[in-house]
Amino acid sequence: MTSRAGRSLVVIPTYNEADNICTIVRRLRAAEPDVDVLIVDDGSPDGTGELADSLARADEQIHVLHRSGKSGLGAAYVAGFRWALERRYDVVVEMDADGSHQPEQLGRILGAIGSADAVIGSRWVPGGSIANWPRERELLSRLGNLYIRGLLGLPLRDVTAGFRAYRADTLRAIGLDDVQSQGYCFQTDLSRRVVQRGMSVIEVPIDFIEREIGDSKMNADIMRESLVKVTAWGIADRSAQLRRAWRRWKRRAAAVRSSVSRDEG
């Protein structure tokens, strides 16, 4: 179907979200009836995939992509992106299955995508908010975003946000084949790729509500991966900047020497 943003698809990765998937999809379909839905299930043992199939049988705008096993958020999204690009959608949206992203606020993101290559639903811009988070987790998220923004030079307030939309051409341009990061690191990776290619990103405020049912997928391994990879990217980016600066200095120095030689001659 075609929305005001073009032909749009919301990709929802799932693993053991049987208690949430039906509710979140119904809310999404009610809030944005012109938008299609793709549920990407990683072989959930709790029956999430079967519930997704039942939703798809009852609604032609709901689709299901079954994957053989749990291989991470990033891999699930990349599979969903490829599915969308093969079917020529104009806009592809990321959204969690656990209710932390409010389907009723998707309109804010789709309303902004006409002016940008990517749109991030941000918790940390004016008007954004969080609910049901302990103070220490909020502090960790804020400090993590500050570290990422500073190290990678990204002009974004919520680099790790997972409620976002991309134009199809943006996904084609940033290179999905070598994306291997997961969790928060996956969102950072894509943000970095978009910004480094000179594309435009808009942040719009959202209200993030921590899940009330089911277990969070965040764990120490995901946090460790994010820290290690972001630090490595930052070092690589700074090294590349220094190499470019050194080459520019050498060219200027050579030009000065050449000019001096001509004057002396």
Side-chain angles (χ1 to χ4, degrees):
M1 298 290 286
T2 302
S3 75
R4 59 192 176 281
R7 191 162 173 259
S8 302
L9 178 75
V10 176
V11 179
I12 304 177
T14 56
Y15 184 78
N16 285 352
E17 294 290 355
D19 292 331
N20 292 309
I21 189 61
C22 293
T23 299
I24 200 68
V25 170
R26 286 168 182 155
R27 286 174 59 191
L28 174 58
R29 294 289 294 117
E32 296 291 338
D34 290 337
V35 172
D36 291 355
V37 181
L38 174 66
I39 301 165
V40 182
D41 186 65
D42 275 6
S44 298
D46 72 343
T48 301
E50 289 78 4
L51 288 173
D53 286 336
S54 69
L55 291 170
R57 284 193 295 270
D59 187 338
E60 64 179 8
Q61 287 178 243
I62 299 174
H63 311 276
V64 185
L65 176 60
H66 291 281
R67 287 160 30 93
S68 59
K70 186 179 181 182
S71 55
L73 181 71
Y77 269 130
V78 169
F81 292 164
R82 290 201 174 103
W83 191 97
L85 295 178
E86 289 169 0
R87 289 156 181 82
R88 300 190 177 278
Y89 282 91
D90 301 302
V91 174
V92 187
V93 178
E94 296 182 23
M95 194 176 80
D96 288 350
D98 60 10
S100 58
H101 301 149
Q102 308 305 296
E104 296 77 13
Q105 295 183 347
L106 175 57
R108 301 180 186 181
I109 294 174
L110 294 179
I113 195 67
S115 305
D117 297 299
V119 177
I120 294 175
S122 176
R123 299 159 291 186
W124 309 130
V125 296
S129 71
I130 57 171
N132 303 333
W133 263 15
R135 182 62 181 170
E136 58 270 19
R137 184 168 178 185
E138 177 183 350
L139 182 61
L140 181 63
S141 179
R142 288 184 180 273
L143 290 176
N145 270 281
L146 185 63
Y147 176 75
I148 293 168
R149 286 160 47 202
L151 190 62
L152 301 183
L154 299 177
L156 304 171
R157 297 290 297 276
D158 200 348
V159 184
T160 62
F163 195 14
R164 51 175 67 193
Y166 298 97
R167 289 184 173 277
D169 287 343
T170 303
L171 293 176
R172 293 187 184 98
I174 63 177
L176 297 175
D177 290 342
D178 57 345
V179 174
Q180 297 179 342
S181 47
Q182 303 296 328
Y184 285 170
C185 194
F186 172 76
Q187 310 299 359
T188 300
D189 192 358
L190 266 61
S191 299
R192 172 174 172 262
R193 289 165 185 257
V194 172
V195 171
Q196 286 186 338
R197 285 161 178 77
M199 298 178 177
S200 59
V201 183
I202 292 175
E203 291 184 271
V204 299
I206 63 161
D207 301 308
F208 181 94
I209 301 176
E210 177 65 355
R211 69 158 68 230
E212 295 182 355
I213 301 174
D215 298 323
S216 172
K217 306 303 188 295
M218 178 55 58
N219 56 45
D221 288 340
I222 291 175
M223 295 177 66
R224 190 178 303 110
E225 180 207 28
S226 182
L227 178 62
V228 170
K229 286 198 172 184
V230 166
T231 302
W233 292 334
I235 293 171
D237 289 348
R238 294 296 179 267
S239 298
Q241 290 172 359
L242 288 173
R243 288 194 296 271
R244 289 193 294 269
W246 172 247
R247 287 194 292 267
R248 287 196 297 270
W249 183 87
K250 288 176 65 177
R251 287 195 295 268
R252 287 197 294 269
V256 169
R257 288 195 298 271
S258 177
S259 177
V260 169
S261 297
R262 287 196 299 271
D263 291 343
E264 290 176 347

